[in-house]
Amino acid sequence: MITDEALIAAAAGSRMRAYAPYSGFLVGAALLAEDGSVFLGCNVENASYSATCCAERAAFCRAVSEGHRRFCKIAVVGGPAKEPVTRFCMPCGVCRQVMREFCREDFVVLTTDGRQTRRRVLAELLPDSFSADELGGGR
Ligand code: THU
């Protein structure tokens, strides 16, 4: 199984493919499936701003499109273009809800400020969540 360091490195690599001409804020994500597969994503912005897709959701859409629905961990690396990453980039609220669709509350979210790794579980990032459990289904 891939190490946390390698997953973060994969997210940092994916970040370099971000399409972010409006914000100039590049984000990469690397999503680890339970079978060990890794799916990459980057943010893809749009002139109609609300059509933007975050890196995390790009990774989930890719993984689900390729037949994966069970995940254990995601690494997220983000920051302004042309600068080294110096701050933790935490997933936005919409991405947290998308994570909850496919992940249990012990799903791990890794971020980095370029020096240290921050490790959170989804239950911390989205407490008292609404999920498919409430509708009696999903996944
Ligand atoms: N963004 C992500 O891709 N993931 C996050 O967790 C936070 C924000 C993107 C969306 C937008 O393209 C840019 O960062 C600035 O908000």
Side-chain angles (χ1 to χ4, degrees):
M1 196 61 81
I2 190 169
T3 63
D4 288 356
E5 292 71 24
L7 199 65
I8 289 168
S14 186
R15 176 175 176 266
M16 304 319 294
R17 291 196 284 271
Y19 175 73
Y22 306 107
S23 72
F25 193 88
L26 312 183
V27 186
L31 175 62
L32 178 63
E34 281 186 2
D35 71 351
S37 309
V38 175
F39 297 91
L40 303 178
C42 62
N43 54 329
V44 181
E45 297 188 343
N46 192 281
S48 178
Y49 295 175
S50 63
T52 291
C53 186
C54 288
E56 298 92 320
R57 274 179 284 145
F60 270 90
C61 288
R62 184 166 189 183
V64 173
S65 299
E66 295 186 21
H68 293 260
R69 294 186 181 177
R70 303 179 75 86
F71 308 102
C72 39
K73 199 178 286 184
I74 194 168
V76 183
V77 178
K82 297 177 190 159
E83 288 176 23
V85 170
T86 57
R87 299 176 61 150
F88 297 103
C89 178
M90 301 305 294
C92 78
V94 174
C95 288
R96 295 177 194 204
Q97 184 66 36
V98 169
M99 290 173 191
R100 186 70 184 95
E101 184 68 24
F102 295 102
C103 307
R104 294 186 308 265
E105 293 189 298
D106 60 353
F107 178 71
V108 173
V109 177
L110 301 174
T111 56
T112 182
D113 64 355
R115 292 150 44 93
Q116 293 184 310
T117 298
R118 176 182 285 172
R119 185 185 185 92
R120 299 281 187 264
V121 292
L122 188 53
E124 297 173 282
L125 300 183
L126 195 68
D128 300 327
S129 63
F130 184 85
S131 75
D133 297 344
E134 270 63 53
L135 302 178
R139 279 201 278 174

